[in-house]
Amino acid sequence: MTDIVTFGEVLAEFMAARMNQNLGEAGQFAGPYPGGAPAIFIDQAAKLDSTAALVSAVGDDDFGRMLVARLAADGVDVSSIATLPDQTTASAFVTYYDDGSRDFIFNIANGACAHITEAQFAPVLSGCKLFHVAGTALFSEHMIELARAAIKRVKAGGGLISFDPNVRKEMLDRAGVREALTGLLSSTDILLPSDDELNVLVEREAEAEAVARAFELGVSEIVLKRGGDGCRYFDRHGSREMAGFTVNEVDPTGAGDSFGATFCTLRSQGMAAADALLYANAAGASAVSRQGAMEGTSTREQLDAFIAQHA
């Protein structure tokens, strides 16, 4: 039995060394860093002492071996990560701008993780308490169908579904992606949007109307991630706002995944929403203070120390 399961890309990430460096010009890059939204999510879940598994695939190359070893060292069940000798491990290149925006070049849809099979889910979905879907993993009709099949099985077993839309401009142009993101809402228990993602998904401009529409579709809890400003939480009984922690931002990549994983994992362990939000804010703030997407994941003890230091 596995408490937390997710699927999708695990990738080697390279970061532009210079601010405002265009990805089309020659320059230096730092890396490879372990990354990929599902991989960061599950790494954080494992560090919070839940049994956690990732369904994915890597190539038989140094990137793949590095990624699997890192996840295993952090306590993730890597038995459902396939190694495909005829494929290449996914990768990403990212650059940062002064205004806080980022540009990415992803080699995911043509990487090993695009070849995950439904059979890989069977060993880890039995007894699953929470199955997490990252929008970044829905990059093809094949991946969308895998998500639907896994969701159906987990829901039938009484498990919960969390969904981080993670809408990026690079993905919305892919055929069927927008419709798939919207369709998943009817099966979602915990929704983790950022910025205007909720408005985009339910096609409502006002926040209150968007929240109401999400509840109509079947969502139970909504955690609106607001970066350094903290978060806003909604359920059918009301809402609450929680301020973020003030830290020196080094690398924001992966912070939302650490935040979401912390909230969902602690909720699946029975923690009250208000307390889980506090820990999630701490996880997100701690993550942005370290370079490398997966370098920002934290244990419960580290989060306790962070909260005490910033109280």
Side-chain angles (χ1 to χ4, degrees):
M1 294 177 64
T2 309
D3 295 332
I4 315 289
V5 180
T6 190
F7 85 112
E9 73 274 14
V10 55
L11 55 82
E13 182 180 281
F14 297 84
M15 300 171 54
R18 176 171 54 82
M19 188 70 73
N20 301 315
Q21 178 177 320
N22 188 289
L23 290 176
E25 64 183 67
Q28 295 183 332
F29 288 82
Y33 292 105
I40 299 164
F41 184 99
I42 209 67
D43 190 82
Q44 178 61 74
K47 284 190 173 182
L48 294 175
D49 298 323
S50 281
T51 54
L54 175 65
V55 179
S56 189
V58 297
D60 187 12
D61 51 41
D62 287 341
F63 289 166
R65 286 184 282 274
M66 175 270 292
L67 293 166
V68 172
R70 169 59 185 274
L71 290 167
D74 286 346
V76 176
D77 179 352
V78 297
S79 62
S80 287
I81 302 179
T83 298
L84 307 179
D86 57 342
Q87 300 294 330
T88 303
T89 301
S91 61
F93 293 80
V94 58
T95 189
Y96 298 87
Y97 297 100
D98 289 331
D99 62 1
S101 63
R102 296 169 287 171
D103 273 339
F104 292 88
I105 293 178
F106 291 106
N107 298 304
I108 295 176
N110 57 344
C113 59
H115 300 275
I116 300 169
T117 66
E118 188 170 347
Q120 290 175 243
F121 289 80
V124 294
L125 284 188
S126 177
C128 175
K129 293 181 180 178
L130 183 138
F131 181 73
H132 178 70
V133 179
T136 57
L138 306 177
F139 53 78
S140 70
E141 184 60 33
H142 171 67
M143 299 295 281
I144 293 168
E145 287 304 316
L146 289 177
R148 289 171 177 155
I151 288 170
K152 183 177 181 180
R153 179 170 177 179
V154 171
K155 295 288 277 190
L160 300 175
I161 305 299
S162 60
F163 177 35
D164 185 342
N166 215 338
V167 178
R168 291 175 177 150
K169 62 180 184 291
E170 296 89 348
M171 295 191 60
L172 288 178
D173 292 336
R174 296 182 183 274
V177 169
R178 186 183 297 274
E179 293 78 7
L181 293 173
T182 304
L184 284 177
L185 287 180
S186 61
S187 300
T188 296
D189 297 288
I190 303 174
L191 182 63
L192 300 156
S194 299
D195 303 319
D196 62 348
E197 289 177 349
L198 179 59
N199 307 77
V200 171
L201 287 173
V202 301
E203 298 181 305
R204 298 289 190 277
E205 292 187 10
E207 181 179 276
E209 293 178 0
V211 169
R213 178 56 179 157
F215 288 147
E216 287 175 5
L217 291 170
V219 176
S220 298
E221 298 178 77
I222 301 171
V223 186
L224 180 61
K225 297 177 289 181
R226 303 174 63 224
D229 292 328
C231 60
R232 194 174 291 133
Y233 172 83
F234 305 87
D235 63 17
R236 297 178 187 275
H237 304 291
S239 64
R240 70 165 55 232
E241 193 163 332
M242 186 167 290
F245 293 92
T246 301
V247 294
N248 178 39
E249 183 177 299
V250 175
D251 180 8
T253 302
D257 303 308
S258 291
F259 174 103
T262 299
F263 180 80
C264 292
T265 302
L266 295 179
R267 287 292 280 149
S268 75
Q269 293 174 358
M271 182 178 286
D275 295 328
L277 290 170
L278 175 64
Y279 277 102
N281 269 349
S286 180
V288 302
S289 65
R290 287 174 267 176
Q291 182 168 334
M294 200 180 289
E295 306 312 306
T297 56
S298 303
T299 64
R300 175 70 178 269
E301 291 73 20
Q302 289 172 325
L303 293 178
D304 283 330
F306 181 93
I307 292 169
Q309 179 184 353
H310 292 81

